[in-house]
């Protein structure tokens, strides 16, 4: 019998054709090449019920939380990209067990991908740590190679996960404010002004929390909407335990959230998204001021560094109209970011950040300025409530399962009676916030994050000298590869306009390579990154297309930049970013060079097989201008697109086209849906590169980078893809 990597009881999750769901316990066995499940623990020569061959084309899809027969299960689906309809779907009653399985399966997939031999040459990769740390999975969002998991402890939290999809991504209306926080914690790109900490100031310290206020004002929001505020604190509990408390809307929430009165489920969209109804318990002159309620979308995900993100944003729903006696407040953005910290004295610790940007509506907001801030601080104080709740729970066993929420439509009269009793008890338990308004405010700019998670620090002079030497190496390499005569850009035309002006709209320009940080020459030893410097190829044109169907192989279009380059004896790399919607969009970038350097990493990428390309094709995104919440959602963490979404590679005589199907990943699709909704307000930077995995491939070099500004959907054209 083959070596068993992991085995144990899991739930065989599925659905009958007649629509009835079923759950059966099955024994799953993971071997180096096969995932199988049995009715009972297998004996010698026992035949499994079903098997799935594990290779480098497999993916683990995280289906999120599903409710069946009154139980909440965490669902995983394993399938092969080449046979999507042949899959094994499994579930666990707690998140930790599901995460262990996910990590083990991904480990086997990684082994198969690392064993691929591109072009007859095996490239040596560095080692990475694997295994569980305090009950959580090791980082895999950027386990782009065997050693890149180490790197991406520095630049983890990738938005487009490598091969793991985390549910349906944020809905179009829900913005992810946590990305900026992740970037600040990792300190990956200190030069990225879009994610500067200057956007926040410390407002006050209260109940062991640091309360921050956003400095930037957003023009498109009404004056009655508050500035975003967030509370940051440390809770002695695992991320999973805190997450399950944050997700609960039952009686246990009264014990730590003094602003909670009642909550119910309006609609379960999928395993990661739900519409909720929520009544607030605000103690500001409750006899005079009407109570507030909310109807909002809640989306959650787990990042591969072990952190959890829970996002809120208000929305209207036909089954959740205005309630008598309540004023419907509006959450512009909000939620929780729960990140693991190093244990102290043997106890797990997590950093909890709670952000709220809300318009409480009603007359009190317009006439009494302190009303909204007082209520905001009361809501943010729930972080302190979490800390105290876990501090008084000394003997915590296995984390409790997430309870099933009461559906709003099925709420009974008896539940309303019990609600009144709970309201009364919560009112007496609510902590007095009188000291908040008299607390001293500190308006100085402060670093809101500690450096206690840094592994080591280098002397400032040594670090500066080292970085200068690294940058000089990049400049030297760039000068060696720079051609003697430049390409005449007037040869090429795209339908998206080129404009160098700073405030131009609906256009593109070349983005400075120094805006992006890439792996340095000695990355495998010190994990340092340096400005990318000069691009390997020239961006000569950008096309902005739309059609009723997905547009593949756009380089075959007569008169396009790739065809013109071929006539001039040049080589082109074409990136076709395909955005699915009711109308399909494609943004196409044409990067041109005189010739590929034989034996270079770029040449091996162009002429390699798809397995090699998928393991190396990397994107670095950034949003230097746009609404604060969108900047945080997109982030600027490197992502291996070949492992995150389906990429189709078309090798022409003088070009390579990469069709990136954003719709193949629910996470990427959700993020793109968010961006498309506000695309006219954004300036987006994108850098494309081939990841360097070996010492002789370092430092990394950008294929090219582009900045697109305030794109109009109406400016897209329908292409004629018939080459004749």
């Amino acid at each position: 019998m083959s070596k068993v990597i992991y085995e144990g009881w899991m739930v065989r999750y599925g659905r009958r054709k007649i629509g009835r769901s079923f759950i059966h316990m099955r024994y799953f066995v993971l071997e180096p090449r096969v995932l199988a499940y049995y009715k009972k623990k297998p004996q010698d020569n026992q035949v499994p019920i079903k098997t799935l061959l594990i290779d480098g084309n497999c993916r683990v899809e995280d289906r999120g939380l599903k409710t069946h027969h009154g139980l909440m299960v965490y669902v995983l689906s394993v399938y092969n990209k080449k046979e999507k309809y042949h899959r094994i779907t499994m579930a666990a009653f707690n998140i930790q067990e599901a995460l262990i399985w996910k990590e083990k399966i991904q480990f086997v997939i990684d082994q198969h991908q690392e064993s691929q031999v591109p072009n007859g040459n095996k490239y040596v990769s560095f080692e990475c740590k694997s295994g569980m740390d305090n009950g959580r999975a090791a980082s895999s969002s950027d386990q782009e190679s065997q050693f890149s998991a180490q790197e991406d402890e520095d630049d983890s939290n990738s938005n487009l996960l490598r091969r793991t999809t985390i549910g349906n991504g944020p809905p179009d209306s829900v913005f992810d404010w946590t990305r900026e926080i992740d970037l600040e914690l990792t300190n990956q790109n200190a030069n990225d002004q879009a994610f500067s900490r200057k956007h926040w100031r410390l407002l006050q310290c209260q109940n062991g929390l640091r309360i921050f206020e956003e400095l930037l004002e957003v023009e498109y929001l009404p004056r009655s909407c508050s500035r975003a505020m967030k509370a940051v604190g440390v809770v002695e509990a695992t991320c999973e335990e805190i997450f399950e408390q944050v997700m609960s809307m039952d009686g246990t929430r009264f014990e730590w959230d003094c602003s909670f009165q009642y909550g119910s489920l309006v609609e379960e969209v999928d395993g990661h998204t739900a519409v909720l109804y929520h009544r607030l318990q605000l103690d500001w002159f409750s006899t005079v001021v009407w109570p507030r309620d909310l109807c909002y979308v809640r989306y959650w995900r787990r990042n591969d560094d072990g952190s959890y993100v829970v996002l809120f944003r208000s929305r209207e729903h036909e089954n959740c109209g205005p309630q008598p006696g309540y004023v419907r407040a509006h959450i512009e953005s909000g939620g929780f970011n729960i990140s693991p910290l190093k244990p102290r004295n043997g106890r797990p610790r997590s950093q909890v950040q709670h952000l709220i940007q809300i318009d409480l509506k009603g007359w009190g907001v317009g006439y009494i300025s302190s009303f909204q801030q007082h209520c905001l601080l009361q809501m943010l104080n729930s972080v302190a409530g979490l800390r105290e709740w876990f501090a008084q729970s000394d003997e915590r066993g296995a984390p409790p399962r997430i309870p099933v929420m009461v559906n709003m439509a099925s709420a009974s009269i008896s539940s309303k009676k019990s609600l009144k009793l709970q309201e009364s008890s919560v009112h007496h338990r609510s902590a007095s916030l009188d000291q908040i308004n008299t607390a001293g405010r500190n308006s100085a700019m402060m670093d809101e994050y500690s450096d206690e998670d840094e592994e080591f620090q280098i002397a400032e002079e040594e670090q500066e000298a080292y970085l200068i030497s690294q940058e000089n190496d990049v400049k030297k390499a760039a000068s060696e590869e720079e051609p003697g005569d430049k390409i005449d850009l007037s040869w090429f035309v795209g339908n998206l306009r080129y404009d160098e002006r700073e405030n131009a709209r609906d256009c593109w320009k070349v983005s400075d390579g120094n805006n992006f940080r890439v792996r340095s020459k000695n990355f495998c030893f010190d994990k340092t990154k340096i400005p990318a410097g000069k691009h390997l190829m020239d961006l000569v044109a950008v096309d902005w297309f739309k059609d009723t169907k997905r547009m593949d192989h756009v380089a075959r279009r007569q008169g396009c930049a790739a065809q013109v380059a071929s006539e001039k004896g040049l080589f082109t790399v074409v990136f076709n970013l395909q955005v699915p919607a009711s109308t399909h969009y494609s943004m196409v970038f044409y990067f041109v060079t005189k010739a590929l350097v034989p034996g270079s990493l770029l040449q091996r990428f162009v002429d390699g097989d798809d397995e090699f390309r998928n393991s190396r094709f990397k994107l670095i995104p950034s949003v230097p201008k746009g609404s604060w919440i969108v900047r945080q959602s997109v982030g600027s963490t490197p992502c291996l697109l070949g492992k995150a979404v389906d990429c189709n590679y078309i090798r022409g005589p003088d070009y390579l086209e990469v069709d990136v199907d954003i719709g193949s990943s629910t996470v990427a699709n959700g993020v793109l849906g968010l961006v498309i909704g506000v695309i006219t307000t954004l300036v987006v930077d994108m850098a494309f590169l081939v990841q360097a995995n070996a010492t002789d491939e370092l430092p990394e070099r950008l294929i090219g980078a582009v900045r697109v500004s305030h794109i109009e959907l109406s400016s897209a054209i329908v292409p004629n893809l018939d080459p004749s």
Side-chain angles (χ1 to χ4, degrees):
M1 187 175 179
S2 302
K3 179 183 177 183
V4 174
I5 294 177
Y6 198 66
E7 60 181 325
W9 291 99
M10 289 281 282
V11 176
R12 167 58 183 153
Y13 175 90
R15 188 177 296 275
R16 298 187 190 275
K17 292 183 179 180
I18 60 175
R20 295 182 60 188
S21 60
F22 64 94
I23 292 181
H24 295 303
M25 295 300 295
R26 291 290 182 260
Y27 198 86
F28 285 82
V29 177
L30 176 64
E31 298 175 359
R33 290 195 61 85
V34 175
L35 174 65
Y37 71 88
Y38 304 79
K39 282 188 176 181
K40 56 184 179 180
K41 189 170 182 178
Q43 306 296 327
D44 293 339
N45 301 322
Q46 184 174 342
V47 178
I49 299 174
K50 189 175 182 179
T51 62
L52 178 69
L53 181 66
I54 302 295
D55 60 21
N57 290 312
C58 286
R59 286 189 176 181
V60 183
E61 184 179 14
D62 189 331
R63 296 285 188 86
L65 297 170
K66 300 289 184 180
T67 306
H68 281 285
H69 300 298
L71 299 174
M72 189 74 76
V73 293
Y74 194 103
V75 183
L76 301 174
S77 181
V78 188
Y79 66 93
N80 193 297
K81 289 169 59 177
K82 297 180 179 179
E83 299 179 90
K84 289 188 176 181
Y85 298 102
H86 179 61
R87 62 175 65 207
I88 288 181
T89 307
M90 55 204 300
F93 288 117
N94 62 73
I95 293 176
Q96 291 91 328
E97 180 66 18
L99 295 178
I100 293 174
W101 272 100
K102 187 172 75 170
E103 182 205 25
K104 298 296 184 182
I105 297 171
Q106 286 177 345
F107 175 72
V108 175
I109 297 172
D110 287 337
Q111 283 187 323
H112 285 284
Q113 287 202 327
E114 291 299 326
S115 66
Q116 295 296 322
V117 183
N119 297 334
N121 295 317
K122 184 175 179 68
Y123 301 107
V124 178
S125 298
F126 304 100
E127 295 182 354
C128 72
K129 293 179 183 178
S130 62
M132 305 297 292
D133 180 16
N134 295 329
R136 63 181 178 88
S139 175
S140 62
S141 64
D142 231 345
Q143 280 176 338
E144 303 154 343
S145 67
Q146 279 277 33
F147 78 98
S148 61
Q150 290 289 338
E151 167 204 2
D152 295 305
E153 289 175 6
D154 298 327
D155 61 2
S156 58
N157 308 327
S158 65
N159 208 15
L160 305 181
L161 300 182
R162 37 186 291 285
R163 104 176 33 81
T164 309
T165 52
I166 310 292
N168 275 341
D172 293 357
S173 61
V174 178
F175 302 116
D176 186 350
W177 53 271
T178 63
R179 283 303 175 191
E180 180 176 86
I181 295 168
D182 296 338
L183 290 166
E184 291 171 351
L185 281 170
T186 59
N187 195 23
Q188 181 218 337
N189 192 347
N191 296 328
D192 190 348
Q193 295 181 357
F195 304 99
S196 172
R197 296 174 186 173
K198 67 183 181 182
H199 296 314
W200 295 93
R201 73 181 178 96
L202 182 65
L203 188 66
Q204 62 184 358
C205 294
Q206 187 259 338
N207 280 351
L209 306 178
R210 289 175 295 162
I211 310 294
F212 292 91
E213 182 181 55
E214 184 190 17
L215 291 178
L216 299 180
E217 294 188 10
V218 184
E219 297 177 355
Y220 62 84
L221 293 178
R223 294 183 60 185
S224 57
C225 189
S226 68
R227 288 186 179 184
M229 295 179 64
K230 66 180 177 182
V232 182
V234 176
V235 178
E236 288 192 345
T238 65
C239 292
E240 284 73 24
E241 291 173 323
I242 299 171
F243 168 73
E244 290 176 345
Q245 284 299 318
V246 167
M247 294 287 284
S248 67
M249 299 286 278
D250 60 356
T252 60
R253 197 178 184 100
F254 290 105
E255 300 182 23
W256 59 269
D257 188 354
C258 61
S259 66
F260 175 76
Q261 183 185 102
Y262 171 74
S264 62
L265 176 68
V266 178
E267 179 188 356
E268 186 176 14
V269 180
D270 58 42
H272 289 258
T273 309
V275 181
L276 305 180
Y277 175 69
H278 188 153
R279 289 178 182 171
L280 298 174
Q281 176 72 36
L282 304 176
D283 62 357
W284 200 88
F285 292 104
S286 56
T287 57
V288 179
V289 179
W290 279 32
R292 264 57 177 174
D293 65 357
L294 299 162
C295 179
Y296 58 87
V297 177
R298 183 186 69 187
Y299 162 80
W300 73 271
R301 72 167 182 267
R302 181 187 186 275
N303 294 325
D304 282 358
D305 66 340
S307 63
Y308 287 84
V309 171
V310 184
L311 303 176
F312 308 142
R313 196 182 188 194
S314 286
R315 63 160 291 180
E316 295 180 356
H317 195 280
E318 60 183 359
N319 296 331
C320 187
Q323 302 295 305
Y326 288 86
V327 175
R328 179 61 53 87
H330 176 84
I331 293 183
E332 178 61 27
S333 61
F336 290 85
N337 187 33
I338 308 164
S339 306
L341 297 176
K342 293 180 179 178
R344 180 172 293 174
N345 299 326
R347 295 182 65 89
R349 298 189 310 142
S350 302
Q351 183 188 69
V352 179
Q353 304 185 52
H354 184 20
L355 180 142
I356 300 176
Q357 187 173 25
I358 192 171
D359 184 354
L360 289 172
K361 304 290 187 179
W363 64 268
V365 177
Y367 290 95
I368 307 174
S369 59
S370 61
F371 166 63
Q372 185 142 283
Q373 186 180 31
H374 174 88
C375 297
L376 266 173
L377 292 172
Q378 180 181 347
M379 297 167 72
L380 293 174
N381 204 43
S382 62
V383 178
L386 276 171
R387 184 191 62 220
E388 296 304 315
W389 190 88
F390 281 105
Q392 297 174 24
S393 303
D394 292 331
E395 297 181 1
R396 297 193 303 272
R401 297 171 184 171
I402 301 174
V404 180
M405 285 184 293
V406 177
N407 193 296
M408 185 178 183
S410 62
S412 62
I413 297 176
S414 60
S415 66
K416 293 181 180 179
K417 292 181 179 179
S418 63
L419 171 64
K420 292 181 179 180
L421 296 175
Q422 291 172 337
E423 289 176 17
S424 176
S425 62
V426 169
H427 181 75
H428 291 291
R429 286 199 301 268
S430 300
S432 175
L433 301 177
D434 293 339
Q435 298 178 351
I436 292 178
N437 295 325
T438 59
R441 296 186 178 183
N442 187 349
S443 60
M445 305 306 302
M446 295 187 64
D447 182 352
E448 60 199 275
Y449 300 104
S450 67
D451 60 355
E452 62 181 350
D453 292 328
E454 295 292 333
E455 295 295 334
F456 60 90
Q457 295 183 353
I458 304 174
E460 204 169 296
E461 298 81 1
E462 296 178 12
Q463 188 175 18
E464 184 177 355
Y466 178 76
L467 291 176
I468 291 174
S469 66
Q470 293 295 316
E471 292 178 21
N472 289 338
D473 289 343
V474 173
K475 292 177 181 178
K476 181 180 178 181
S479 63
E480 290 174 354
E481 298 184 23
E482 189 170 356
D485 52 340
K486 294 185 178 180
I487 296 172
D488 188 353
L489 302 183
S490 63
W491 295 338
F492 309 95
V493 177
N495 76 290
L496 189 64
R497 182 172 54 90
Y498 172 81
D499 198 325
E500 279 282 357
R501 293 176 299 173
E502 194 65 30
N503 296 322
R505 301 182 65 85
D506 198 25
C507 62
W508 69 273
K509 68 177 182 179
V510 176
S511 183
D512 186 355
N514 289 323
N515 292 334
F516 305 92
R517 301 185 70 82
V518 296
R519 298 176 175 183
S520 67
K521 182 68 176 176
N522 294 324
F523 177 83
C524 57
F525 305 111
D526 52 21
K527 302 296 181 285
T528 56
K529 293 189 175 184
I530 57 176
K534 183 176 174 59
H535 309 163
L536 290 173
M537 306 182 74
D538 293 318
L539 179 60
V540 297
V542 177
D543 280 326
W544 180 222
F545 293 146
K546 66 180 178 181
D547 206 341
T548 56
K549 59 183 181 300
R550 194 178 70 188
M551 291 154 280
D552 297 325
H553 196 184
V554 295
R556 73 181 188 270
R557 187 175 62 92
Q558 189 175 16
C560 75
Q563 297 292 337
V564 173
S566 179
E567 295 172 2
K568 302 292 184 180
L570 306 175
F571 188 86
T572 309
V573 175
V574 183
F575 297 117
N576 176 15
L577 302 186
Q578 301 168 325
V579 183
S582 55
T583 298
H584 291 256
Y585 292 91
S586 275
M587 184 161 284
V588 188
F589 307 101
Y590 302 89
F591 294 93
V592 173
T593 187
K594 289 187 176 296
L596 298 175
V597 178
S600 66
L601 182 59
L602 178 58
Q603 182 270 322
R604 299 204 303 266
F605 174 79
V606 168
D607 295 328
D609 58 22
D610 288 357
E611 288 292 328
F612 178 70
R613 291 164 176 162
N614 284 334
S615 67
R616 299 298 189 96
F617 179 34
K618 184 189 288 187
L619 169 72
I620 306 177
S622 177
V623 182
K625 184 177 180 181
S627 66
W628 159 78
I629 206 73
V630 176
R631 294 198 313 268
Q632 295 164 332
S633 176
V634 174
S636 65
T637 303
C639 165
L640 277 178
L641 280 183
K643 293 185 176 181
V645 296
D646 290 343
C647 295
N648 185 32
Y649 302 90
I650 304 164
R651 180 67 162 93
D654 294 302
Y655 65 85
L656 171 69
E657 177 175 334
V658 184
D659 292 342
V660 183
D661 182 11
I662 304 299
S664 61
S665 166
T666 51
V667 171
N669 198 16
V671 174
L672 261 296
L674 162 64
V675 173
I676 284 292
V678 292
I679 193 171
T680 58
T681 67
L682 303 179
V683 175
V684 180
D685 284 347
M686 289 176 283
F688 302 92
L689 66 156
V690 182
Q691 178 175 273
N693 280 5
T695 52
D696 60 342
E697 297 171 345
L698 294 168
E700 287 181 332
R701 298 287 307 280
L702 298 183
I703 295 175
V706 61
R707 170 170 291 187
V708 290
S709 303
H710 307 288
I711 299 300
E712 298 285 347
L713 295 178
S714 59
S715 66
I717 66 171
V718 179
N720 180 11
L721 298 181
D722 185 357
S724 62

